[in-house]
Amino acid sequence: MVLKTALIEKSRTMIKQKMFLLSEKCKTIVRDCTQGRTDDVLAGMGDLTGTVTGMIAQVQYFNSAQFLKILQLLMNAMMKSDIETIGTVLKKELIPALEILQNKDAENNSVENEVESGNNAANDVMLQLKNYADAAWNAGKRPVLWNETEAAAWVESIGYDGRDRAICMFGRGDGICEKALRKRLSSDSILLVYEPEKGDLIGLRDELQNRLDFYRQESLLICAHPLYKEIFGHEYAQFLHLINENRTRVMVNKNTMARFKENASRNVITNLPMLRNANLIDDLKKILPNDVPVIIVSAGPSLDKNIEELKRAKGRCLIFAVDTAMKYLMAHDIMPDLGITIEPIKPMANYEDPRCFKIPHVFDCESNPEIVSKNTARKFIYNCRDYVKRLLQALGKNVPGDIPSGGSVATAAFAICYQLGIRRIIMIGQDLAYQGEATHAGGIESKGINNNIGYEMIEGIDGGQVRTRSDWLAYLKWFENAIALMKDMGRDMEVIDATEGGALIHGSRVMTLKEAIDEYCILEYSFARELAKLPCLLNSGEYDKLLKLVEKSAIELDSVETAAREAVAICEALLNICREKESDYLLGKSDEQNDKKWMSDLTSARINCEKALLYPLINNYAVTGIAEEVSRIRLEKTGLESELLQQKLAFEAIVDACGYFNSIMSEIGCYKS
């Protein structure tokens, strides 16, 4: 009884602390709303909604229709970047609701009573609806709540305006509402339906990642089958949480793409010479048995605790170091077996010690070319990117698909280990949290890509609370999802977190580095000796042929630019016809022969662009700059006019990209044998 009372008191204190932090975060966002700081508002809201949905999913007495309604209002406003509505909902609804929860002790509503009695009105309604649902499913039926007329009225009520949208629907029921919604959908709309009865959260996460890119975020509409929010309140919170998690992932990727746009494209061309002395990631399977432990060394603050212990593991595992840890390892005279750096503008400060350039490395084709060119050791290509993939395939090489990076160099290293089937992955320096104000080993303070936006308290490795930020939280979720997927697939792999500090990574086994080395790093293994036996991907003759293909790529740019300019002219002509014929043409009913020829010419122009070797790079460069404008067109225009405006914008961006790559090719002068 004493233990139970203590646990309840601890739970009450932690919940009150979270309510206070949430209230303060809300007030900060409200201030940003009044000052018109849209980017800060949306970044802060991404963290806020994630925290609230997580609490709804985990804290039973926090689960109520009131909070779910507030969350949906906020998320719909976020999709439209409507910061005025966000500020109003926070100020008038969420902040007062959180303050009520903070003061529950004053009202003599203990956590124990809230959790155990279940006698409040909301729980009574929840129980009745749940019993109804259980009875229906036990009888082999889904609840039939609505007829076709009522289903059509429900479609009107969710705010769908007939435009191209991405719609996430919670609950299928008997299918009548879904069917009514599908009848109204435009041809380019996407409908994702999640049925909580099945509870396939991993499948939902995959669907969101595969189908809701950054073009779709502003047009996203969230809705729920009638009564499902009330019947499945806990599951609805999880549903909203995954949508918000995906939105955060997309926005981080979008920010990364915008930040690295020009550097990434230039780097792919500049880094082509590394193919002379390189291999693909899958080649590591030939020299790295999967029963050899891999220690992934990141540069979190806790690395200070066990870096000296790492020396004992040398020669009995693969020490795989991320770029930010390289300088720190050199200072302690630890030479990792393999390094990794993948960002296009990674600072050279991590590679001040010349010994770094003698260490074999994993590089992305977009990696900082100064680091790539100075490295004299063997190189492994992390992701070939479509252009390099086309070059290698033209030489008859089998190129595996890209490996998902997860957004950081540490998640990329983990993904490589997963791809190789490494049975025991040991992580150190993977704090994903602050230590005081320090972000990295050696007491270093550094800001992330999102400028340290979104502070949040999460569970630490020692059971207490640690402070994290939005980008680290996204990486933490990535690790946890990857570990969960690993287990669901029955992979014979174990992840050991030997960081000895920072955030708790659920699904990992927590050990000290000393314990992990003593238990698993037993047999001798020399990566350098095995690497010497591995031939490079290309021989000298194949490399010469690759250079000829690069020269051909440069020549093709003129024809791509010409085709794109012709396509822009066709789009303008068809848009003029749209405006002249208005409704008939907008509905696609025009059958004039000349119009059909123009549409055929537009298709031919697109094909002529796409068959160029360099087109994957051209396309990536082009789409990054037009994402927001495409989203705006999809929201404001419909039918053929919307499609033509998007195509015109895309072809104009291709023209600009051709000019950019022409200048790069001229500057570099292509590559001579």
Side-chain angles (χ1 to χ4, degrees), residues 67-85:
F67 281 96
L68 294 173
K69 178 183 176 183
I70 292 171
L71 269 177
Q72 186 154 1
L73 288 172
L74 288 172
M75 293 187 72
N76 284 335
M78 286 166 63
M79 302 311 168
K80 300 173 185 176
S81 300
D82 183 358
I83 64 173
E84 183 178 350
T85 298

mmCIF file of all heavy atoms in Angstrom, residues 67-85:
data_model
loop_
_atom_site.group_PDB
_atom_site.id
_atom_site.type_symbol
_atom_site.label_atom_id
_atom_site.label_comp_id
_atom_site.label_asym_id
_atom_site.label_seq_id
_atom_site.Cartn_x
_atom_site.Cartn_y
_atom_site.Cartn_z
ATOM 1 N N PHE A 67 -10.224 16.987 -25.321
ATOM 2 C CA PHE A 67 -8.872 17.179 -25.836
ATOM 3 C C PHE A 67 -8.746 16.707 -27.281
ATOM 4 O O PHE A 67 -8.004 17.293 -28.068
ATOM 5 C CB PHE A 67 -7.856 16.463 -24.943
ATOM 6 C CG PHE A 67 -7.535 17.235 -23.697
ATOM 7 C CD1 PHE A 67 -8.191 16.971 -22.510
ATOM 8 C CD2 PHE A 67 -6.592 18.249 -23.718
ATOM 9 C CE1 PHE A 67 -7.909 17.687 -21.368
ATOM 10 C CE2 PHE A 67 -6.309 18.972 -22.572
ATOM 11 C CZ PHE A 67 -6.963 18.699 -21.396
ATOM 12 N N LEU A 68 -9.449 15.635 -27.620
ATOM 13 C CA LEU A 68 -9.398 15.163 -29.002
ATOM 14 C C LEU A 68 -9.988 16.197 -29.950
ATOM 15 O O LEU A 68 -9.484 16.420 -31.055
ATOM 16 C CB LEU A 68 -10.150 13.837 -29.125
ATOM 17 C CG LEU A 68 -9.513 12.657 -28.377
ATOM 18 C CD1 LEU A 68 -10.425 11.451 -28.423
ATOM 19 C CD2 LEU A 68 -8.150 12.324 -28.967
ATOM 20 N N LYS A 69 -11.059 16.852 -29.525
ATOM 21 C CA LYS A 69 -11.669 17.899 -30.354
ATOM 22 C C LYS A 69 -10.701 19.075 -30.524
ATOM 23 O O LYS A 69 -10.523 19.600 -31.629
ATOM 24 C CB LYS A 69 -12.965 18.384 -29.700
ATOM 25 C CG LYS A 69 -13.654 19.509 -30.468
ATOM 26 C CD LYS A 69 -14.892 19.990 -29.727
ATOM 27 C CE LYS A 69 -15.529 21.177 -30.453
ATOM 28 N NZ LYS A 69 -16.699 21.699 -29.713
ATOM 29 N N ILE A 70 -10.061 19.481 -29.430
ATOM 30 C CA ILE A 70 -9.101 20.585 -29.494
ATOM 31 C C ILE A 70 -7.940 20.223 -30.427
ATOM 32 O O ILE A 70 -7.510 21.032 -31.257
ATOM 33 C CB ILE A 70 -8.561 20.915 -28.082
ATOM 34 C CG1 ILE A 70 -9.677 21.502 -27.212
ATOM 35 C CG2 ILE A 70 -7.392 21.897 -28.162
ATOM 36 C CD1 ILE A 70 -9.294 21.661 -25.749
ATOM 37 N N LEU A 71 -7.450 18.992 -30.299
ATOM 38 C CA LEU A 71 -6.338 18.554 -31.140
ATOM 39 C C LEU A 71 -6.698 18.605 -32.620
ATOM 40 O O LEU A 71 -5.909 19.045 -33.449
ATOM 41 C CB LEU A 71 -5.938 17.127 -30.765
ATOM 42 C CG LEU A 71 -4.866 16.980 -29.692
ATOM 43 C CD1 LEU A 71 -4.646 15.520 -29.377
ATOM 44 C CD2 LEU A 71 -3.565 17.614 -30.144
ATOM 45 N N GLN A 72 -7.892 18.148 -32.958
ATOM 46 C CA GLN A 72 -8.270 18.145 -34.371
ATOM 47 C C GLN A 72 -8.385 19.579 -34.901
ATOM 48 O O GLN A 72 -7.978 19.861 -36.031
ATOM 49 C CB GLN A 72 -9.582 17.387 -34.587
ATOM 50 C CG GLN A 72 -9.927 17.250 -36.072
ATOM 51 C CD GLN A 72 -10.787 16.044 -36.369
ATOM 52 O OE1 GLN A 72 -11.149 15.299 -35.482
ATOM 53 N NE2 GLN A 72 -11.107 15.856 -37.625
ATOM 54 N N LEU A 73 -8.931 20.477 -34.095
ATOM 55 C CA LEU A 73 -9.008 21.878 -34.511
ATOM 56 C C LEU A 73 -7.603 22.441 -34.772
ATOM 57 O O LEU A 73 -7.367 23.136 -35.771
ATOM 58 C CB LEU A 73 -9.702 22.714 -33.424
ATOM 59 C CG LEU A 73 -11.212 22.520 -33.250
ATOM 60 C CD1 LEU A 73 -11.690 23.269 -32.011
ATOM 61 C CD2 LEU A 73 -11.961 23.008 -34.485
ATOM 62 N N LEU A 74 -6.683 22.126 -33.880
ATOM 63 C CA LEU A 74 -5.319 22.633 -34.020
ATOM 64 C C LEU A 74 -4.622 22.047 -35.244
ATOM 65 O O LEU A 74 -3.959 22.758 -36.006
ATOM 66 C CB LEU A 74 -4.509 22.315 -32.761
ATOM 67 C CG LEU A 74 -4.858 23.131 -31.512
ATOM 68 C CD1 LEU A 74 -4.125 22.579 -30.293
ATOM 69 C CD2 LEU A 74 -4.507 24.604 -31.707
ATOM 70 N N MET A 75 -4.776 20.740 -35.450
ATOM 71 C CA MET A 75 -4.075 20.099 -36.564
ATOM 72 C C MET A 75 -4.632 20.554 -37.902
ATOM 73 O O MET A 75 -3.884 20.768 -38.863
ATOM 74 C CB MET A 75 -4.120 18.580 -36.418
ATOM 75 C CG MET A 75 -3.331 18.094 -35.221
ATOM 76 S SD MET A 75 -3.186 16.297 -35.102
ATOM 77 C CE MET A 75 -2.039 15.977 -36.438
ATOM 78 N N ASN A 76 -5.934 20.736 -37.990
ATOM 79 C CA ASN A 76 -6.510 21.254 -39.236
ATOM 80 C C ASN A 76 -6.024 22.674 -39.513
ATOM 81 O O ASN A 76 -5.751 23.039 -40.660
ATOM 82 C CB ASN A 76 -8.037 21.210 -39.184
ATOM 83 C CG ASN A 76 -8.590 19.808 -39.385
ATOM 84 O OD1 ASN A 76 -7.943 18.970 -39.996
ATOM 85 N ND2 ASN A 76 -9.771 19.550 -38.857
ATOM 86 N N ALA A 77 -5.890 23.480 -38.451
ATOM 87 C CA ALA A 77 -5.372 24.841 -38.622
ATOM 88 C C ALA A 77 -3.903 24.809 -39.034
ATOM 89 O O ALA A 77 -3.450 25.631 -39.837
ATOM 90 C CB ALA A 77 -5.540 25.639 -37.325
ATOM 91 N N MET A 78 -3.146 23.850 -38.501
ATOM 92 C CA MET A 78 -1.737 23.720 -38.868
ATOM 93 C C MET A 78 -1.577 23.403 -40.341
ATOM 94 O O MET A 78 -0.680 23.929 -41.007
ATOM 95 C CB MET A 78 -1.072 22.620 -38.023
ATOM 96 C CG MET A 78 -0.814 23.002 -36.577
ATOM 97 S SD MET A 78 -0.405 21.556 -35.559
ATOM 98 C CE MET A 78 1.110 21.016 -36.345
ATOM 99 N N MET A 79 -2.443 22.538 -40.869
ATOM 100 C CA MET A 79 -2.341 22.161 -42.280
ATOM 101 C C MET A 79 -2.533 23.379 -43.188
ATOM 102 O O MET A 79 -2.012 23.427 -44.299
ATOM 103 C CB MET A 79 -3.377 21.082 -42.624
ATOM 104 C CG MET A 79 -3.268 19.815 -41.801
ATOM 105 S SD MET A 79 -1.582 19.170 -41.715
ATOM 106 C CE MET A 79 -1.751 17.953 -40.425
ATOM 107 N N LYS A 80 -3.281 24.367 -42.696
ATOM 108 C CA LYS A 80 -3.551 25.573 -43.495
ATOM 109 C C LYS A 80 -2.628 26.729 -43.111
ATOM 110 O O LYS A 80 -2.770 27.832 -43.640
ATOM 111 C CB LYS A 80 -5.004 26.007 -43.286
ATOM 112 C CG LYS A 80 -6.030 24.955 -43.684
ATOM 113 C CD LYS A 80 -7.438 25.391 -43.290
ATOM 114 C CE LYS A 80 -8.459 24.300 -43.569
ATOM 115 N NZ LYS A 80 -9.811 24.672 -43.105
ATOM 116 N N SER A 81 -1.707 26.474 -42.180
ATOM 117 C CA SER A 81 -0.824 27.530 -41.652
ATOM 118 C C SER A 81 -1.637 28.706 -41.113
ATOM 119 O O SER A 81 -1.229 29.861 -41.223
ATOM 120 C CB SER A 81 0.156 28.008 -42.737
ATOM 121 O OG SER A 81 0.965 26.955 -43.180
ATOM 122 N N ASP A 82 -2.788 28.403 -40.524
ATOM 123 C CA ASP A 82 -3.698 29.428 -40.012
ATOM 124 C C ASP A 82 -3.319 29.741 -38.566
ATOM 125 O O ASP A 82 -3.895 29.199 -37.616
ATOM 126 C CB ASP A 82 -5.143 28.914 -40.103
ATOM 127 C CG ASP A 82 -6.166 29.948 -39.649
ATOM 128 O OD1 ASP A 82 -5.755 31.048 -39.220
ATOM 129 O OD2 ASP A 82 -7.376 29.647 -39.720
ATOM 130 N N ILE A 83 -2.333 30.639 -38.385
ATOM 131 C CA ILE A 83 -1.831 30.889 -37.031
ATOM 132 C C ILE A 83 -2.814 31.694 -36.192
ATOM 133 O O ILE A 83 -2.757 31.657 -34.962
ATOM 134 C CB ILE A 83 -0.448 31.574 -37.060
ATOM 135 C CG1 ILE A 83 -0.520 32.964 -37.687
ATOM 136 C CG2 ILE A 83 0.563 30.718 -37.800
ATOM 137 C CD1 ILE A 83 0.796 33.730 -37.567
ATOM 138 N N GLU A 84 -3.729 32.416 -36.828
ATOM 139 C CA GLU A 84 -4.738 33.147 -36.053
ATOM 140 C C GLU A 84 -5.649 32.175 -35.321
ATOM 141 O O GLU A 84 -5.933 32.323 -34.124
ATOM 142 C CB GLU A 84 -5.558 34.045 -36.978
ATOM 143 C CG GLU A 84 -6.591 34.892 -36.223
ATOM 144 C CD GLU A 84 -7.380 35.812 -37.147
ATOM 145 O OE1 GLU A 84 -7.004 35.946 -38.332
ATOM 146 O OE2 GLU A 84 -8.373 36.385 -36.671
ATOM 147 N N THR A 85 -6.120 31.141 -36.046
ATOM 148 C CA THR A 85 -6.968 30.119 -35.418
ATOM 149 C C THR A 85 -6.184 29.349 -34.364
ATOM 150 O O THR A 85 -6.707 29.038 -33.284
ATOM 151 C CB THR A 85 -7.510 29.151 -36.483
ATOM 152 O OG1 THR A 85 -8.316 29.881 -37.406
ATOM 153 C CG2 THR A 85 -8.341 28.045 -35.843
#
